[in-house]
């Protein structure tokens, strides 16, 4: 079932392709990193499935909310680590251990996965946290034309030791993204064909 958060990502940042060092960092998460690098050398447009938990965790958010989080990280915070758009979701690469800690922080903020209709969770979509024992599909180092931007790197890894945000930073970004979402929803332009009545004068 789709929602307002499932719209395609249209982030204005155009990421360059993954560098050789970035590809080596991604591949280091795999049990057989040389095989992953060999695959990418032969098929640079092939996405691969990589395990989480040792080199990185991944926090997956619906595209539009993920974009709001990313905007907050870059405009008001410390920036982000690698970020990918994949099948209508934003994948934010995070420090190992984030997937275990972030859900409890969100629960403490009353933003559980189930949400609360009477609280702040009503404006926050579920965030999927992938950590130890999980795996995610990451886009190819190069993005093929014709994908429409649905599967691509937004912030591509370019070093063997990229900075990765931890759970507290991502919680901070989620808090501010939720506030931005509320501001957007209450300031949505009205229907231009709607009738407007002047109630300033009483009879």
């Amino acid at each position: 079932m789709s929602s307002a958060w499932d719209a395609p990502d249209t982030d204005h940042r155009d990421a360059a392709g993954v560098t050789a060092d970035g590809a080596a960092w991604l591949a280091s998460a795999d049990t057989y990193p040389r095989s992953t690098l060999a695959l990418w050398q032969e098929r640079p447009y092939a996405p691969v499935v990589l395990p989480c938990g040792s080199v990185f965790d991944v926090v997956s958010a619906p595209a539009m909310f993920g974009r709001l989080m990313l905007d907050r990280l870059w405009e008001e915070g410390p920036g982000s680590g690698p970020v990918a758009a994949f099948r209508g979701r934003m994948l934010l690469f995070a420090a190992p251990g984030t997937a275990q800690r972030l859900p409890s922080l969100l629960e403490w903020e009353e933003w559980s996965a189930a949400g609360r209709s009477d609280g702040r969770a009503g404006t926050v979509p579920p965030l999927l946290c992938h950590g130890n024992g999980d795996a995610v599909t990451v886009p190819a180092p190069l993005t093929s034309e014709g994908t429409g931007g649905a599967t691509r790197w937004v912030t591509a890894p370019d070093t063997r030791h990229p900075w990765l945000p931890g759970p507290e930073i991502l919680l901070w970004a989620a808090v501010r993204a939720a506030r931005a979402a509320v501001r957007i929803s209450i300031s949505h332009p009205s229907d231009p064909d709607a009738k407007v009545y002047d109630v300033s004068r009483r009879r």
Side-chain angles (χ1 to χ4, degrees):
M1 182 176 180
S2 61
S3 70
W5 294 118
D6 295 329
D9 171 50
T10 55
D11 196 298
H12 62 276
R13 299 182 185 89
D14 292 323
V18 177
T19 65
D21 283 345
W25 172 73
L26 285 170
S28 69
D30 200 355
T31 306
Y32 304 102
R34 291 185 180 179
S35 298
T36 300
L37 289 174
L39 171 66
W40 276 335
Q41 287 178 350
E42 295 178 4
R43 301 174 57 195
Y45 298 107
V48 298
V49 177
L50 295 176
C52 302
S54 60
V55 175
F56 54 75
D57 283 359
V58 170
V59 175
S60 172
M64 288 185 67
F65 190 79
R67 178 184 174 183
L68 289 175
M69 289 181 64
L70 189 57
D71 286 345
R72 299 286 73 75
L73 285 168
W74 280 107
E75 294 173 9
E76 304 171 16
S80 72
V83 179
F86 187 78
R87 294 185 178 177
R89 298 191 70 86
M90 193 81 81
L91 308 181
L92 291 88
F93 286 69
T98 297
Q100 181 179 5
R101 178 66 177 147
L102 183 58
S104 61
L105 292 177
L106 291 169
E107 185 72 28
W108 180 75
E109 286 286 344
E110 299 179 357
W111 290 344
S112 64
R116 286 179 48 177
S117 60
D118 61 341
R120 290 172 290 184
T123 61
V124 180
L127 301 180
L128 306 179
C129 299
H130 304 286
N132 192 31
D134 299 325
V136 295
T137 300
V138 301
L142 299 179
T143 303
S144 59
E145 297 181 0
T147 61
T151 301
R152 64 185 177 89
W153 287 102
V154 178
T155 304
D158 59 1
T159 175
R160 289 177 181 265
H161 303 285
W163 177 80
L164 298 172
E168 293 82 5
I169 292 175
L170 291 178
L171 173 68
W172 174 89
V175 169
R176 278 150 182 80
R179 291 174 181 170
V182 170
R183 287 196 298 270
I184 290 171
S185 64
I186 65 176
S187 62
H188 191 277
S190 59
D191 184 352
D193 297 326
K195 294 181 180 180
V196 179
Y197 299 93
D198 183 2
V199 294
S200 62
R201 293 185 295 178
R202 297 181 180 178
R203 294 182 179 179

